[in-house]
Amino acid sequence: MIGASVLDREPDAHTTTSPIIEVEGLTRRFRSKRSETVALHDVSLSVNQGEFVTIAGPSGCGKSTMLKIIAGLVPASEGSVSIMGEPVRGPQKQIGFAFQRSALLEWRGVRKNILLQAEMRGMDRKHAAARADELIELTGLTGFERALPHELSGGMQQRVALCRALLHEPRILLMDEPFGALDALTREQMNVEMNRIWRETGTTILLVTHSVAEAVYLGNRIVVMSPRPGQIVETLEPGLPAEREYGPTMQDPRFAAASERIRILLGASQSHD
Amino acid sequence: MAAPQQTAPGRAGSPQAQDGASTTAIEALERRGNQSKARKSALALLSASWRPALVLAGLFGVWWLVTALGLVPAYLIPSPAAVWDVFVAEWPQLLQHTMVTLQETVVGFVLAAILGVVTAVIMVYSPTAEKSIYPLILFAQVIPKIAIAPILVVWFGFGMAPKIILAVLIAFFPVVVSAVAGLRSVDPELLELSSTMGASRWKTFRKIRFPTSLPHLMSGLKVAVTLAVTGAVVGEFVGADQGLGFVLLLASGNLNAPLLFAVLILMSIIGIVLFLLVELLERIVIPWHASRRNNLVLAGG
């Protein structure tokens, strides 16, 4: 195991019975001058410790909004969210967040970009530096510690953003279409790495995507959402093993069945993935 | 120890097999190592400056030719030699007046930069302040500065103060506009990220917002520094007993064309030197940005 000592959760975390994220009756409306849009309507979801939940849905189904509400970045119109039993009111500090765009600081090298997390939190420098080196190795960024973001490919930039999100060992990682801007091949590679990072760190992950393949490959539970107003249509648990090799998983009948089901739920027009 | 074995292809293969962009990263690293920095920048300077130097030499040639052939009377356009003679004969006085104008310009520019950035920060962080200040700034900008100059002389006399104030007034606007644009150019997701990191507003400003604004701000400062020269000179036109603007008026009154030209050249030199200094500052402060452009005089990297 790579860096098992630091990456492993403390044993009692796994035995927690209550859900780590609890979303209840969540509704979010956006008002413009003339009209009112309902982005999310009565969404309830609970995520258990160590789960990898993917949220699949077409563009504009409010899935990103939901993630931001969970992170406390956007207030809910109705309903409630609680993380580890605490109601969410304002930005959550115990989570890690990764966006579709890597949102790196262009004047900082890879390592310093990762360490931004530590500086902002006032973490212990030595500990943070050691942890950053571990993550750099874990994500295959070794040798690029001092490279500036514009010298990196899109996939590598996302790895840096991922390392930054994981630096403070968050229990929960929220990811908003983190691989949406990558080419298909890089995306597959990143998916394989994501699966490995999840298994090795035991982090609870909530990932939003509009790719059916990504949703089924990564999630041990897949939440399918409908277009505006965003509602949960169905939750699938294909029962694939935690460790997934890409090729064989694609051939797995459980994978095919889940993908097919999601495509039907999202409507034929969305089945381009 | 099964995990590293099984994940090795993904880790080792990914940076190289990624796509085209990763090769540029490797190239960039190699480039950094190979050439010495000084040699590189000297070469860049040379390759950037030989064309304008050639054009300048050409212009001098035309000037010399026009005067040597007597195409234009000498009281309208003096010969380069006559201008040179003025420099030689009058250099202590000219230097003294140049220092006065330079001082007014630099003090005015620095004050404008500080005031501009502070105003921009206040405007970006407080919508109320923006709504109340912005119309005033716009108003101050549309008033012709030359029209304010006589009032300033009435208020502050013939000393340096009215010139500095005029330089500030004229250089302030580009600083504010560029600083506001820069501070607003920050990725909103980065600000959201920063709030999930529990960072204070000050930390977010210091580590994210302000550095993000620097490329915009630096281009505003470049515009501002050249305008500051204009401000100082206009101030001297209206009422002064020293400075290049004052000498220019004297020379004009005496129809002393060689002195006029000498003063004009000195004014341009002030402007160019200050501009290059700001450009140098830009390269020191934001190397990550300057290294990606290569269209300006010194930015050959």
Side-chain angles (χ1 to χ4, degrees), chain A residues 3 19 22 26 55 98 102 108 111 115 122 139 160 169 184-185 192 198 205 207 215 258:
Chain A
E22 185 100 69
L26 195 66
I55 302 169
S102 50
R108 285 179 175 227
R111 197 160 180 276
L115 285 171
T139 51
V160 179
E169 299 175 64
L185 258 170
V192 173
W198 171 56
I205 303 179
L207 181 142

Side-chain angles (χ1 to χ4, degrees), chain A residues 56-123:
Chain A
S59 307
C61 72
K63 49 195 195 306
S64 297
T65 307
M66 182 161 107
L67 217 55
K68 285 191 177 173
I69 293 173
I70 293 172
L73 296 170
V74 171
S77 303
E78 278 166 40
S80 68
V81 178
S82 52
I83 289 182
M84 295 182 232
E86 292 287 315
V88 168
R89 299 189 190 89
Q92 294 301 296
K93 290 165 198 161
Q94 71 275 44
I95 57 160
F97 208 111
F99 295 98
Q100 176 169 1
R101 285 173 297 129
S102 50
L104 300 175
L105 302 177
E106 56 170 333
W107 55 91
R108 285 179 175 227
V110 166
R111 197 160 180 276
K112 284 200 159 176
N113 253 301
I114 297 170
L115 285 171
L116 178 76
Q117 181 81 260
E119 290 168 28
M120 292 307 218
R121 286 172 187 275
M123 283 166 67

Side-chain angles (χ1 to χ4, degrees), chain A residues 1-2 68 71 73 91-95 97 99-101 103-108 116-117 119-122 137-140 143-144 146-148 150-156 159 164 183 186 189 193 196 199-200 243, chain B residues 1-4 6-7 10-22 24-26 28-29 32 187-200 203-204 207-212 215 288-289 291-292:
Chain A
M1 293 288 281
I2 300 152
K68 285 191 177 173
L73 296 170
Q92 294 301 296
K93 290 165 198 161
Q94 71 275 44
I95 57 160
F97 208 111
F99 295 98
Q100 176 169 1
R101 285 173 297 129
L104 300 175
L105 302 177
E106 56 170 333
W107 55 91
R108 285 179 175 227
L116 178 76
Q117 181 81 260
E119 290 168 28
M120 292 307 218
R121 286 172 187 275
E137 206 199 319
L138 179 75
T139 51
F144 292 91
R146 300 187 66 181
L148 293 174
H150 76 266
E151 297 170 339
L152 301 174
S153 67
M156 291 173 84
R159 284 167 218 252
R164 183 179 59 189
D183 61 274
T186 312
Q189 279 178 4
E193 283 187 36
R196 180 169 56 84
R199 283 185 283 112
E200 288 180 10
E243 191 174 335
Chain B
M1 289 310 285
Q6 170 253 321
T7 53
R11 282 166 54 233
S14 40
Q16 284 81 22
Q18 197 73 148
D19 57 45
S22 63
T24 54
I26 295 161
L29 288 173
R32 225 181 267 165
D187 186 343
E189 293 191 332
L190 217 64
L191 295 180
E192 288 180 335
L193 198 69
S194 168
S195 63
T196 69
M197 292 174 177
S200 65
K203 250 188 181 171
T204 308
K207 293 195 184 272
I208 298 176
R209 202 149 199 172
F210 187 66
T212 304
W288 75 88
H289 182 77
S291 67
R292 290 161 75 181

Side-chain angles (χ1 to χ4, degrees), chain B residues 19-106:
Chain B
D19 57 45
S22 63
T23 41
T24 54
I26 295 161
E27 279 164 13
L29 288 173
E30 281 172 354
R31 250 186 286 135
R32 225 181 267 165
N34 284 345
Q35 238 169 345
S36 83
K37 243 184 183 172
R39 205 183 133 210
K40 215 178 102 188
S41 60
L43 274 175
L45 188 65
L46 193 72
S47 74
S49 53
W50 70 267
R51 270 172 272 246
L54 207 68
V55 173
L56 200 66
L59 282 174
F60 254 93
V62 172
W63 178 17
W64 175 81
L65 206 67
V66 164
T67 51
L69 295 176
L71 296 175
V72 182
Y75 67 88
L76 293 182
I77 298 183
S79 72
V83 175
W84 178 250
D85 287 344
V86 169
F87 272 121
V88 171
E90 308 278 349
W91 73 266
Q93 289 90 332
L94 281 176
L95 187 68
Q96 191 199 326
H97 289 293
T98 305
M99 291 321 284
V100 170
T101 305
L102 185 66
Q103 201 181 334
E104 292 160 356
T105 306
V106 170

Side-chain angles (χ1 to χ4, degrees), chain A residues 192 195 198-199 215-221 238-246 249, chain B residues 6:
Chain A
V192 173
N195 176 260
W198 171 56
R199 283 185 283 112
V216 181
Y217 174 75
L218 286 176
N220 68 320
R221 193 145 61 97
L240 290 162
E243 191 174 335
R244 298 165 193 186
E245 279 180 65
Y246 206 80
T249 307
Chain B
Q6 170 253 321

Side-chain angles (χ1 to χ4, degrees), chain B residues 241-257:
Chain B
D241 45 20
Q242 51 183 347
L244 289 176
F246 163 73
V247 180
L248 196 76
L249 275 191
L250 272 188
S252 168
N254 299 334
L255 286 180
N256 186 346

Side-chain angles (χ1 to χ4, degrees), chain A residues 4 14 16 48 132 147 156 169 175 189 194 200 215 228 233 245 256 258 272:
Chain A
H14 286 286
T16 320
N48 292 319
M156 291 173 84
E169 299 175 64
M175 307 183 85
Q189 279 178 4
M194 230 21 253
E200 288 180 10
R228 212 150 266 186
V233 216
E245 279 180 65
H272 57 270

